[in-house]
Every structure is written in C-alpha cells, then in structure tokens.
Amino acid sequence: MHKNVVLIPTYNEAESIGDLLAQLRNCAIDVLVIDDDSPDGTARVVTNLGLDYVKVINNGKKKGIGPAYVTAMGIAIAAGYEKIATMDADGSHLVSDLENLFVNSQDFDVVMGTRWMPAGLVSNWDPKRIYLSKFGTWYARICLALPYRDLTGGLRVYDAKKLEMLNLLRIRSNGYCFQIEMIKALHSLEVSIKEVPIHFIERREGVSKMSQNIVAEAFLRVTLWGFKRMLRFNADNAHYVK
Ligand SMILES: Nc1nc2c(ncn2[C@@H]2O[C@H](COP(=O)(O)OP(=O)(O)OP(=O)(O)O)[C@@H](O)[C@H]2O)c(=O)[nH]1
Ligand SMILES: [Mg+2]
C-alpha cells in the first residue's frame, strides 16, 4: 500500500480508464476506482487489467459522482491514507497536474486544480461549457462568499485528517455540485486551501455525463445555501463537522 490514493469515479469509461491507469503506474500512489455498475463494463475492464496498485469497487446503480466520492472517501480514510486525491477518468485531468498538486499538498490541507487563473488552460471545450463553468463558479463565489476561482473542478488533493473531521454523510450533492459543497464544508473549518493552475482537456473518448438535472441541482442548492447564509450569517458552519 502506498501512503496516498487517488479516487476515480467512473460511469461508462471503458474506453478511457485503461490509458489513465497506465499513466498512473509510475506515480507511487494507489488508485481506487468507484464504478456505478457501468453498462459498458468499466469495472470488468479495470479488474481484467490486474494492476496491483488499483482497486475497483462497484457502488451499485448510478447515483452520481457525489455518492461515489462519499463512499470512496470513507474507504480511503478507514484505510489510513495520508493524502486523498480526486480525478476524472475521461482524460480531462493530466497526471502531470495531479503530481504537481501532490507536491503542493505538502504545505496545504487542500489543493484545488484551477482552470480559471493565470497559467490555467482549457483545451477543446465547447464555449458554452466554458461559460457554464465560469458562471457556476462566479455564482457560487457570490452566494457562498468563497474566494476561490474554480469551484467545480474535480482534480484535487485533500489531507485525510481534514476530511476525517467532516461528517461526509452530510454532503448530499449528486452531480458536480459535490465539488462546490466540499469546498464550502472545508472552508468553514478554516483549513488551508491552495489553488494551483491546471490544464483541462475535453474528453476524447466516451460520453459526458453532464445533464440539465446536474446543472439545475447545482443552481438550486447554491441558491438555497446563499439564502441561508444571508438570513443567518454562517448559521450552518457546524453542519458538516463531526
Ligand atoms: N461512479 C460514478 N461516476 C460518475 C458518475 N457520473 C460521472 N462520473 C464520473 O465522474 C467523472 C466526471 O464526469 P464527466 O462525465 O466527465 O463529467 P464532466 O467532466 O462534468 O463533463 P464533461 O466535461 O462533459 O466530460 C468521470 O470520471 C465520470 O465517469 C456517476 O453517476 N457515478
Ligand atoms: Mg469530463
């Protein structure tokens, strides 16, 4: 067992996952793939690769990345890992950026891969998705009074001891709103959070899981949290703490 782990949620990523796992071979980290019973057999593909640094768990029927990450973080904390990273399976996140985040994680509790800052890059993304992503972060920054420049990205490294302070079962977001909710929860604990520029590349294989429901969930949850914050300033700060 390595001292650090990267969690990779998958749903129908059979075409992408093998390449990513091969690239992670030389990173001296363990990999935990959390698959929601993908119809394309992603979990079977991973198992058949027989890589000793990779474990795959079948998390049952499709529930979204939020529940997948909550399950995986619980497993990773219980296993005693020091740093717990998160990463998409679709090739959008570079292994070199993950390594850079790990370097930065020596001095910070949370390191966030950030697209919308100097030296951050996005390649091949539809302008509509760029707009949606920037708007999502802008809206969440305002509603939640958070100072970060990319709240919806999935490439991050967390200190396990800080995650352990959270009652992860209180994180209820299903889609990418999970990424916002995690930072909202950790920011209220006053942990040290560092933003590091990354290069995000649109997936080449497979199909996006983005949907109107996922966008609507984020908009509604963030709006509700914003109203709660306005009505009673920081009233729910202790909500996520064990
Ligand atoms: N376990 C699990 N993983 C999921 C689910 N939905 C998405 N994922 C994974 O979460 C990661 C991000 O999902 P994407 O489909 O790439 O979503 P996205 O990055 O927001 O959208 P695109 O930019 O269009 O690719 C990928 O590794 C997906 O396979 C889900 O319901 N369950
Ligand atoms: Mg993606």
Side-chain angles (χ1 to χ4, degrees):
M1 173 171 151
H2 293 100
K3 68 181 171 113
N4 300 327
V5 65
V6 58
L7 313 178
I8 305 179
T10 55
Y11 190 76
N12 286 346
E13 301 290 1
E15 289 168 283
S16 311
I17 191 71
D19 186 34
L20 177 60
L21 295 177
Q23 290 182 54
L24 288 164
R25 175 184 291 279
N26 297 321
C27 291
I29 48 172
D30 287 346
V31 181
L32 182 57
V33 175
I34 321 97
D35 187 68
D36 281 11
D37 214 2
S38 295
D40 76 348
T42 303
R44 197 175 55 247
V45 168
V46 175
T47 306
N48 288 346
L49 289 172
L51 302 168
D52 59 1
Y53 55 96
V54 179
K55 277 202 180 69
V56 58
I57 49 170
N58 189 328
N59 201 30
K61 75 176 176 52
K62 186 173 179 353
K63 293 177 281 294
I65 56 166
Y69 271 136
V70 167
T71 300
M73 284 174 173
I75 293 171
I77 291 167
Y81 288 105
E82 281 177 30
K83 300 282 177 185
I84 299 174
T86 61
M87 184 177 204
D88 288 358
D90 57 5
S92 287
H93 296 148
L94 299 178
V95 171
S96 55
D97 280 335
L98 176 70
E99 290 176 311
N100 186 29
L101 262 62
F102 269 117
V103 171
N104 281 274
S105 75
Q106 298 311 308
D107 301 317
F108 293 89
D109 300 324
V110 180
V111 185
M112 303 166 67
T114 299
R115 294 161 287 189
W116 317 121
M117 71 184 288
L121 271 176
V122 169
S123 297
N124 305 333
W125 228 19
D126 185 333
K128 275 192 230 138
R129 289 296 304 274
I130 293 180
Y131 174 76
L132 182 65
S133 174
K134 285 187 170 176
F135 174 79
T137 284
W138 173 81
Y139 188 65
R141 265 172 72 107
I142 305 255
C143 289
L144 310 179
L146 294 172
Y148 311 107
R149 287 167 281 190
D150 190 350
L151 287 165
T152 59
L155 187 65
R156 294 181 182 168
V157 177
Y158 300 94
D159 188 89
K161 290 271 174 292
K162 301 296 171 189
L163 283 187
E164 213 175 341
M165 293 164 70
L166 297 177
N167 181 354
L168 289 170
L169 295 178
R170 290 245 162 142
I171 305 273
R172 303 309 294 268
S173 304
N174 294 299
Y176 71 82
C177 188
F178 169 84
Q179 309 293 359
I180 302 172
E181 192 170 9
M182 284 301 292
I183 294 302
K184 172 182 174 331
L186 288 161
H187 183 81
S188 70
L189 295 184
E190 294 176 5
V191 302
S192 59
I193 300 180
K194 163 102 166 161
E195 298 175 285
V196 169
I198 59 164
H199 183 183
F200 177 95
I201 304 167
E202 169 64 323
R203 65 161 73 238
R204 273 190 284 270
E205 313 286 349
V207 179
S208 170
K209 277 88 225 175
M210 181 64 91
S211 67
Q212 281 181 359
N213 283 353
I214 286 176
V215 178
E217 181 203 30
F219 183 74
L220 291 174
R221 283 194 193 274
V222 168
T223 303
L224 186 70
W225 291 329
F227 274 119
K228 279 190 180 167
R229 192 183 69 81
M230 266 185 345
L231 292 175
R232 271 192 62 200
F233 190 67
N234 284 348
D236 60 353
N237 258 9
H239 179 73
Y240 298 102
V241 183
K242 262 184 193 160

